[in-house]
């Protein structure tokens, strides 16, 4: 396999093509694909640690969760494929046998995930009991919701101890229940981010009522706590009641045996993704789709601008890009498609078809998949995300912008299962390029920036964790005495969190908090260097933290702010060793790691790396559309920002001999000019009132 630069487009080399040879019917055929632009490329050590089991048959994450098994309310945050389902089995069985719990109810968001909680033999690996739910109380099966609700109510009155149902069944069943009917029960909610503190969220209302009016225990499980909207999953006063167990995504992937690298990238297109692209004979989907990789294709939501508005037509467009339909197997529902590139027959599963009988055939077939050759591609819309297990998947190809970081994590998780057939996993997002003549250009720009910032955050989620501590002059001789693995960095002027509330946020909520910050509308406008880094770090970020955590005092806000900024900047930097010294590359220059201070870090834009990559990945005309759209929707000037910019305005005047020009093409000069006008107006008002 070799890479060659693609022809220049608009005076800019945008992509690389990958040429690969493969055999089809004993004939060697050369195929060519476009390599996605990877904003994130992470390599892993393949230690096998996250897959090793202890004397009770528990993997690393499961053992960590089991240590907290006596908690009445337990929130488990762990990445896809880390074994959350089995962790729940261990905890639930302990509660049934040793903690006075009489019944366990497991609720999952969709029926296909219920299979993760099927009967499981645990004693042969060292645990004291097996997970043995009765088939009659696995309600994740075809049938009317009414009969399932009745089965739920029968379960509470009967002798069986374990029930598995969907979130919907739980919601409907709760309408006929008194909260006290769940006394002495364990309620386990899988994919807990479906809960919301919004009063209209029925599942959230169920959880709140159970907590307030019964003695039931709750185990909440999720791969990410970030919903993609401004509404929290739980109210702060409810969230504080939960014991939190967090398992790091980096530790999970670093501890695999086979997977050694992960790429998160983008491919930009014009017009429709299934139509020929300018200066190309192929559609964007054909350009990026490598049929040699086991791939899940998630088509756009019918409500999105990227969609043709008809989901069945959307599947047809995808099939047409791949090749020609030969036939559909009547027993399995699998489509057999002849590739237009190679003539291979590809086995494709259509999970978009919502005819229940047909979909059940396909889902049943996929559950029995045991080797890579059993299926080549899956086309999905709402399915094949949470809890969907196809370990052979190598490429998660998603068409259209996804607003929820949780959804992105779930989709990436489909490709990051550890499997012998792959050493690399790839997530590619096909994103529409903003077009200046498009009525929805503002929406397109916003979507592109949100997609890029999601990648920036995913890079940090997937990177190894550091710990940060203040560096005091009197401790300079032994500041690394407590750092055995090089993961503690001492920073001058760093404010250490002292309250338990601030410590809990830093320990458990850091990535979710970053997600809220990075996808805030004001922050998106600041991303391409329109706002000074000091303003982003010392004005915008603390403002958002106060909105999310109104209960924090100013010292706590500052401690959390510093940790967010430092963690973001360090994880977007490169650390290198030269002799006995370590240097960190930040904002284009190397700094001795011993000389890092909070003042230095506050001068660095945490968005910079993502925007630099974006600016190299799209044409200059698209970049101009992005800048112009942001310029039209200016950020309001605040007194805090104007005060931060005042020293820079004075420096500008000394350096240039002129005041900043409001008409400048430089967005930073424009911003300083706005600040100067703001300060003059504030001074005039004070004089009037004086």
């Amino acid at each position: 396999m070799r890479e060659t630069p693609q022809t220049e487009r608009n005076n800019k080399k945008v992509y690389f093509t990958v040429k690969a040879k493969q055999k089809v019917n004993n004939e060697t055929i050369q195929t060519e694909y476009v390599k996605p632009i990877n904003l994130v490329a992470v390599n892993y050590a393949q230690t096998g640690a996250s897959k090793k089991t202890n004397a009770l048959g528990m993997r690393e994450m499961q053992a960590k969760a089991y240590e907290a098994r006596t908690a009445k309310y337990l929130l488990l945050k762990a990445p896809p494929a880390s074994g959350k389902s089995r962790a729940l089995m261990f905890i639930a069985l302990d509660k049934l046998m040793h903690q006075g719990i009489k019944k366990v109810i497991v609720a999952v968001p969709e029926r296909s995930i219920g299979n993760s909680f099927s009967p499981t033999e645990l004693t042969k690996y060292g645990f004291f009991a097996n997970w043995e739910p009765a088939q009659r109380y696995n309600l994740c099966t075809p049938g009317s919701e009414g009969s399932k609700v009745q089965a739920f109510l029968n379960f509470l009155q009967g002798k069986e101890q374990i029930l598995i149902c969907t979130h919907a069944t739980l919601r409907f069943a709760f309408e006929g229940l008194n909260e006290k009917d769940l006394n002495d029960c364990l309620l386990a909610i899988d994919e807990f981010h479906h809960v919301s503190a919004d009063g209209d969220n029925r599942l959230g209302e169920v959880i709140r009522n159970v907590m307030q009016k019964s003695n039931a225990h709750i185990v909440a499980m999720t791969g990410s706590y970030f919903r993609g909207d401004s509404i929290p999953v739980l109210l702060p006063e409810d969230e504080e009641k939960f014991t939190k167990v967090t398992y790091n995504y980096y530790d999970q992937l670093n501890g695999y045996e086979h997977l050694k690298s992960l790429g998160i990238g983008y491919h930009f297109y014009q017009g429709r993704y299934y139509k020929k692209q300018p200066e190309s004979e192929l559609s964007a989907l054909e350009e990026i789709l490598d049929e040699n990789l086991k791939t899940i294709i998630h088509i756009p939501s019918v409500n999105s601008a990227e969609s043709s508005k008809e989901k069945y037509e959307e599947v047809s467009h995808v099939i047409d890009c791949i090749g020609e339909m030969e036939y559909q197997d009547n027993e399995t529902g699998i489509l057999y498609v002849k590739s237009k590139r190679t003539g291979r027959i590809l086995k494709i599963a259509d999970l978009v078809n919502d005819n229940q009988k047909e979909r059940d055939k396909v889902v049943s077939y996929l559950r029995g998949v045991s080797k890579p050759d059993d299926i080549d591609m899956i086309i999905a819309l709402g399915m094949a995300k949470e809890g969907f297990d196809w370990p052979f998947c190598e490429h998660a190809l998603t068409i259209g912008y996804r607003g929820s970081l949780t959804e992105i994590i779930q989709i990436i998780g489909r490709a990051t299962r550890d499997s012998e057939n792959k050493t690399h996993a790839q997530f590619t997002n096909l994103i529409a390029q903003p077009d200046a003549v498009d009525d929805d250009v503002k929406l397109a720009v916003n979507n592109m920036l949100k997609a890029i910032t999601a990648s920036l955050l995913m890079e940090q989620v997937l990177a190894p964790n550091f710990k940060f501590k203040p560096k005091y002059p009197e401790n300079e001789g032994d500041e690394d005495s407590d750092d055995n693995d090089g993961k503690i960095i001492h920073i001058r002027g760093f404010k250490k969190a002292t309250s338990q509330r601030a410590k809990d946020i830093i320990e458990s909520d850091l990535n979710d908090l970053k997600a809220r910050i990075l996808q805030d509308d004001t922050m998106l406008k600041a991303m391409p260097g329109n706002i000074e880094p000091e303003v982003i770090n010392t004005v915008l970020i603390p403002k958002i933290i106060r909105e999310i955590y109104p209960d924090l005092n100013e010292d706590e806000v500052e401690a959390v702010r510093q940790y967010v900024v430092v963690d973001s900047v360090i994880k977007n930097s490169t650390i290198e060793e030269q002799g006995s010294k370590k240097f960190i590359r930040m904002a284009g220059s190397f700094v001795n790691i011993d000389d890092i201070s909070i003042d230095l870090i506050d001068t660095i834009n945490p968005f910079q790396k993502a925007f630099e990559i974006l600016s190299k990945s799209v044409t200059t005309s698209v970049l101009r559309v992005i800048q112009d759209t942001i310029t039209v929707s200016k950020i309001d000037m605040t007194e805090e920002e104007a005060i931060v910019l005042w020293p820079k305005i004075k420096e500008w005047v000394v350096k240039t001999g002129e005041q900043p020009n409001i008409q400048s093409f430089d967005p930073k000069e424009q911003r300083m000019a706005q600040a100067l006008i703001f300060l003059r107006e504030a001074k005039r008002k004070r004089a009037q009132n004086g």
Side-chain angles (χ1 to χ4, degrees):
M1 184 177 291
R2 62 191 183 90
E3 298 177 2
T4 56
Q6 199 176 28
T7 54
E8 291 192 4
R9 290 186 180 176
N10 299 333
N11 302 317
K12 201 166 198 175
K13 287 179 182 174
V14 183
Y15 306 120
F16 282 85
T17 59
V18 178
K19 291 184 177 179
K21 291 182 179 180
Q22 57 179 303
K23 282 200 170 184
V24 180
N25 298 327
N26 294 320
E27 181 184 352
T28 300
I29 295 176
Q30 182 163 291
T31 54
E32 190 170 299
Y33 305 92
V34 173
K35 187 177 181 181
I37 305 156
N38 274 342
L39 273 74
V40 178
V42 191
N43 293 304
Y44 298 101
Q46 297 172 298
T47 67
S50 63
K51 295 181 74 174
K52 290 176 182 172
T53 57
N54 63 14
L56 295 176
M58 297 176 188
R59 284 153 56 180
E60 187 175 46
M61 182 281 290
Q62 295 159 352
K64 187 175 181 181
Y66 192 67
E67 289 176 4
R69 63 190 178 278
T70 59
K72 183 177 182 182
Y73 304 131
L74 178 62
L75 174 58
L76 173 57
K77 296 183 187 180
S82 58
K84 291 190 291 294
S85 302
R86 190 164 293 200
L88 183 273
M89 295 177 194
F90 291 128
I91 293 167
L93 288 169
D94 189 86
K95 286 185 179 290
L96 284 171
M97 296 188 175
H98 302 135
Q99 298 182 43
I101 291 296
K102 302 291 190 289
K103 291 182 180 292
V104 173
I105 299 165
V106 182
V108 299
E110 61 179 67
R111 290 192 298 112
S112 62
I113 301 176
N115 194 51
S116 300
F117 297 94
S118 297
T120 305
E121 195 172 358
L122 302 174
T123 54
K124 71 176 182 180
Y125 303 110
F127 199 59
F128 57 75
N130 290 321
W131 177 258
E132 298 176 323
Q135 183 58 37
R136 64 183 292 207
Y137 287 123
N138 179 359
L139 306 185
C140 295
T141 52
S144 70
E145 203 59 63
S147 63
K148 291 177 183 176
V149 168
Q150 187 57 52
F152 189 106
L153 300 176
N154 293 342
F155 166 78
L156 290 178
Q157 302 300 321
K159 294 181 179 179
E160 292 292 341
Q161 291 186 301
I162 301 172
L163 177 138
I164 303 157
C165 67
T166 62
H167 290 176
T169 299
L170 175 64
R171 293 195 306 268
F172 288 127
F174 205 77
E175 293 174 3
L177 288 173
N178 181 295
E179 289 82 0
K180 293 193 182 300
D181 291 335
L182 295 181
N183 277 347
D184 302 324
C185 289
L186 167 63
L187 183 57
I189 308 292
D190 195 22
E191 309 301 351
F192 192 63
H193 52 271
H194 286 265
V195 173
S196 167
D198 188 327
D200 293 331
N201 183 283
R202 182 65 177 137
L203 188 57
E205 184 183 351
V206 168
I207 299 300
R208 286 190 295 276
N209 286 337
V210 167
M211 292 176 69
Q212 292 167 10
K213 301 176 183 178
S214 80
N215 68 5
H217 290 206
I218 296 173
V219 173
M221 301 177 291
T222 183
S224 171
Y225 207 44
F226 179 64
R227 288 174 48 82
D229 56 29
S230 59
I231 303 167
V233 173
L234 290 171
L235 295 172
E237 57 268 30
D238 290 330
E239 187 176 335
E240 285 181 13
K241 297 174 184 176
F242 278 79
T243 298
K244 296 178 183 177
V245 175
T246 303
Y247 188 63
N248 184 278
Y249 213 137
Y250 175 82
D251 290 337
Q252 166 71 7
L253 298 185
N254 201 53
Y256 277 165
E257 296 174 82
H258 309 291
L259 189 67
K260 67 179 180 181
S261 62
L262 169 64
I264 298 177
Y266 292 86
H267 187 61
F268 302 109
Y269 67 90
Q270 299 177 46
R272 293 291 180 190
Y273 70 88
Y274 48 80
K275 292 186 176 179
K276 282 175 58 175
Q277 293 296 289
E279 301 181 40
S280 173
E281 293 302 311
L282 303 174
S283 67
L285 180 58
E286 290 171 89
E287 285 182 334
I288 204 70
L289 182 61
D290 182 350
E291 67 183 44
N292 296 300
L293 301 179
K294 302 299 177 183
T295 303
I296 295 180
I297 302 171
H298 279 102
I299 64 172
S301 162
V302 292
N303 298 317
S304 69
E306 296 91 346
S307 172
S308 64
K309 307 306 177 188
E310 293 289 337
K311 61 184 181 181
Y312 298 137
E313 284 185 15
E314 205 84 17
V315 173
S316 297
H317 290 314
V318 172
I319 296 293
D320 289 342
C321 288
I322 296 169
E324 186 176 339
M325 172 85 88
E326 291 280 292
Y327 67 95
Q328 181 175 17
D329 188 295
N330 288 329
E331 288 187 16
T332 64
I334 298 301
L335 310 177
Y336 287 75
V337 177
K338 186 175 183 179
S339 164
K340 64 169 70 172
R341 272 185 169 141
T342 65
R344 282 177 62 203
I345 299 298
L346 302 172
K347 298 177 200 170
I348 300 177
D350 174 11
L351 290 178
V352 179
N353 186 348
D354 50 16
N355 178 302
Q356 199 64 62
K357 185 177 179 181
E358 292 300 313
R359 183 186 283 185
D360 285 343
K361 285 182 188 177
V362 177
V363 170
S364 177
Y365 176 83
L366 292 177
R367 282 177 179 165
V369 164
S370 61
K371 56 185 185 297
D373 290 343
D374 287 343
I375 197 80
D376 294 296
M377 295 182 193
I378 295 173
I379 303 172
L381 180 56
M383 295 185 70
K385 296 177 187 175
E386 301 164 331
F388 182 81
D389 193 12
W390 182 30
F392 309 119
C393 177
E394 300 165 88
H395 189 190
L397 175 55
T398 299
I399 303 165
Y401 157 71
R402 296 301 191 268
S404 165
L405 177 74
T406 295
E407 185 175 3
I408 294 170
I409 287 175
Q410 294 288 358
I411 291 172
I412 292 173
R414 299 320 101 203
T416 56
R417 267 35 182 192
D418 201 29
S419 176
E420 291 182 2
N421 72 303
K422 64 189 179 191
T423 57
H424 178 76
Q426 179 69 39
F427 167 76
T428 306
N429 201 176
L430 264 177
I431 296 286
Q433 284 190 11
D435 187 338
V437 300
D438 193 335
D439 292 338
D440 292 328
V441 62
K442 185 176 179 181
L443 177 64
V445 167
N446 204 45
N447 286 351
M448 177 178 272
L449 293 180
K450 283 191 173 185
I452 300 304
T453 54
S455 289
L456 177 66
L457 183 65
M458 281 307 302
E459 180 171 38
Q460 301 194 6
V461 169
L462 294 163
N465 278 349
F466 292 95
K467 289 187 177 180
F468 308 107
K469 292 187 177 182
K471 181 170 185 175
Y472 301 107
E474 63 271 20
N475 292 338
E476 286 194 18
D478 63 349
E479 69 255 15
D480 292 322
S481 59
D482 58 348
D483 182 14
N484 296 322
D485 56 4
K487 294 295 176 63
I488 293 178
I489 296 178
H490 293 78
I491 298 167
R492 298 178 192 276
F494 186 71
K495 187 177 184 64
K496 189 175 180 180
T498 54
S499 75
Q500 192 57 47
R501 177 69 170 135
K503 288 178 183 176
D504 287 345
I505 291 170
I506 291 167
E507 180 67 27
S508 301
D509 298 348
L510 201 63
N511 287 329
D512 300 314
L513 173 56
K514 283 184 188 180
R516 294 278 291 276
I517 291 170
L518 292 178
Q519 299 215 326
D520 179 85
D521 286 341
T522 303
M523 291 292 283
L524 286 171
K525 295 173 189 174
M527 182 174 120
N530 296 318
I531 300 296
E532 289 289 346
E534 292 94 328
V535 174
I536 291 173
N537 292 330
T538 65
V539 178
L540 300 185
I541 288 177
K543 179 175 180 288
I544 297 167
I545 292 172
R546 289 186 198 101
E547 291 171 357
I548 298 170
Y549 302 108
D551 56 314
L552 297 185
N553 61 39
E554 284 306 304
D555 281 346
E556 291 171 323
V557 168
E558 177 60 12
V560 172
R561 177 202 80 80
Q562 287 194 15
Y563 213 101
V564 166
V565 172
V566 170
D567 196 58
S568 298
V569 170
I570 296 294
K571 284 184 175 176
N572 281 322
S573 304
T574 303
I575 297 177
E576 294 186 5
E577 293 189 31
Q578 294 183 12
S580 61
K581 293 185 178 293
K582 287 184 179 180
F583 293 85
I584 185 164
R585 184 179 178 86
M586 297 189 297
S589 60
F590 280 99
V591 179
N592 189 320
I593 207 163
D594 292 334
D595 296 333
I596 295 177
S597 68
I598 189 65
D599 292 338
L600 172 62
I601 287 175
D602 277 340
T603 64
I604 296 170
N605 182 352
F607 287 117
Q608 194 64 40
K609 181 179 177 183
F611 190 72
E612 284 174 359
I613 294 172
L614 172 64
S615 64
K616 294 173 184 174
S617 305
V618 298
T619 61
T620 51
S621 59
V622 171
L623 208 58
R624 170 59 64 185
V625 170
I626 294 170
Q627 287 282 15
D628 289 349
T629 304
I630 291 172
T631 301
V632 169
S633 54
K634 285 290 184 188
I635 304 171
D636 292 336
M637 180 64 65
T638 65
E639 183 177 0
E640 288 176 293
E641 182 181 352
I643 291 169
V644 170
L645 289 177
W646 175 241
K648 294 184 177 295
I649 295 170
K650 291 193 290 185
E651 287 176 18
W652 180 274
V653 173
V654 170
K655 182 179 177 181
T656 66
E658 299 178 352
Q659 293 181 350
N661 184 356
I662 194 77
Q663 303 299 328
S664 171
F665 290 108
D666 180 355
K668 289 186 178 179
E669 184 181 357
Q670 283 184 9
R671 199 65 182 163
M672 285 190 284
Q674 292 169 3
L676 190 57
I677 294 169
F678 180 94
L679 290 168
R680 284 173 176 164
E681 180 65 14
K683 183 177 180 181
R684 185 187 65 78
K685 287 181 179 178
R686 282 198 301 271
Q688 276 185 341
N689 298 331

